[in-house]
Amino acid sequence: MRPKIYLYGDSITEESFGDGGWGASLSHHFSRTVDVVLRGYSGYNTRWALKVAERTFPPVESGGVPPLAVTVFFGANDACLPDRYSAFQHVPLHEYKQNLHSIISFFKKRWPEIVILLITPPPIDEDARLRHPYIENPSGLPERTNEAAGAYAQACISVAKECGCPVVDLWIKMQECPDWKQAYLSDGLHLTQAGNRIVFEEVVKKLKEQGTSVENLPVDLPLIANIDPQDPLKAFQDY
């Protein structure tokens, strides 16, 4: 049975199996070695993610293979401003950190050897958020700001350091590109194909640093190159 890599997050994770998405790219990258399993929930924050974690990740059955890794990609919704139209998604910064700690503890208790990879929220293009509101926005103010997203990104990095977990600093990485707003964001928050590529590359790099890479994972069932045309069934004797 193949091991799994879980992707746990909000809409940026839920959409990651779309055309050019970072989750779909991961699944292709790890084909024949790992099953990449999507657990993305649009609009969710860490408060809600913690609430549903027990139901979302059932224990491995006896004799099953524990997952290799899980990405935890929350914060974009937690960082919604408390006095704007998405206030119901807002989670105070101190609680966001506590929730991340609790989510990490949940995974470590369930699967002690699992690699837990945190991903910070991306930067925010505030002008684009005004052009692409989710609901009517009579205030004329964006529901998110890049400053707030940066504060939650720093909190995510702090939790990763405190817990000894690897982390992708997406907030900084994307802003290294001068044209990041147009290149990486489709609506000021969600990712373009180029933005998805950044996440994919950073996740692959971080997982490899933790020892999870296609180079050191066994392939599921014989490759066609290893099947003898004169005696094809011989390759399946050990399966």
Side-chain angles (χ1 to χ4, degrees):
M1 183 179 294
R2 294 182 193 174
K4 293 181 174 64
I5 293 176
Y6 282 109
L7 311 183
Y8 195 31
D10 52 34
S11 57
I12 301 175
T13 298
E14 182 175 336
E15 296 176 0
S16 71
F17 268 51
D19 186 21
W22 64 274
S25 296
L26 274 179
S27 186
H28 176 70
H29 179 78
F30 285 106
S31 63
R32 296 286 294 273
T33 59
V34 170
D35 286 334
V36 178
V37 182
L38 181 62
R39 292 293 182 268
Y41 301 93
S42 179
Y44 276 42
N45 54 35
T46 54
R47 184 185 295 160
W48 304 347
L50 183 59
K51 180 74 173 177
V52 302
E54 191 77 31
R55 176 178 176 177
T56 305
F57 299 95
V60 173
E61 295 179 2
S62 178
V65 179
L68 293 175
V70 59
T71 60
V72 177
F73 193 175
F74 290 100
N77 297 314
D78 300 68
C80 287
L81 300 180
D83 59 349
R84 306 284 170 87
Y85 73 81
S86 287
F88 73 101
Q89 294 170 286
H90 171 74
V91 172
L93 193 61
H94 67 89
E95 184 191 342
Y96 171 68
K97 292 184 69 174
Q98 292 172 355
N99 291 341
L100 282 181
H101 273 284
S102 297
I103 290 169
I104 291 169
S105 296
F106 166 79
F107 283 123
K108 286 186 174 181
K109 182 178 179 181
R110 179 139 296 183
W111 300 303
E113 302 302 318
I114 195 172
V115 173
I116 303 167
L117 173 58
L118 301 188
I119 306 175
T120 75
I124 297 295
D125 177 0
E126 295 163 33
D127 290 336
R129 291 304 314 127
L130 287 174
R131 294 194 300 272
H132 302 280
Y134 300 131
I135 59 174
E136 186 177 351
N137 180 19
S139 73
L141 298 171
E143 84 289 4
R144 295 166 170 84
T145 65
N146 197 35
E147 181 182 6
Y152 282 74
Q154 285 302 310
C156 180
I157 292 167
S158 295
V159 171
K161 291 179 179 178
E162 292 164 7
C163 297
C165 294
V167 61
V168 172
D169 187 352
L170 197 59
W171 191 80
I172 287 292
K173 182 67 180 178
M174 286 190 166
Q175 291 182 91
E176 291 175 355
C177 172
D179 193 34
W180 62 271
K181 294 179 180 180
Q182 289 72 38
Y184 297 148
L185 301 177
S186 62
D187 61 359
L189 169 64
H190 297 98
L191 309 182
T192 62
Q193 287 195 4
N196 274 280
R197 187 72 189 179
I198 291 288
V199 179
F200 163 70
E201 291 175 351
E202 291 299 304
V203 169
V204 168
K205 181 172 71 174
K206 291 294 182 179
L207 290 177
K208 189 171 185 178
E209 290 172 359
Q210 299 298 311
T212 299
S213 66
V214 291
E215 292 82 9
N216 59 18
L217 289 167
V219 174
D220 183 18
L221 300 179
L223 296 170
I224 185 66
N226 297 327
I227 296 177
D228 184 353
Q230 306 304 317
D231 187 7
L233 291 180
K234 183 179 179 181
F236 299 94
Q237 290 178 351
D238 295 331
Y239 292 90

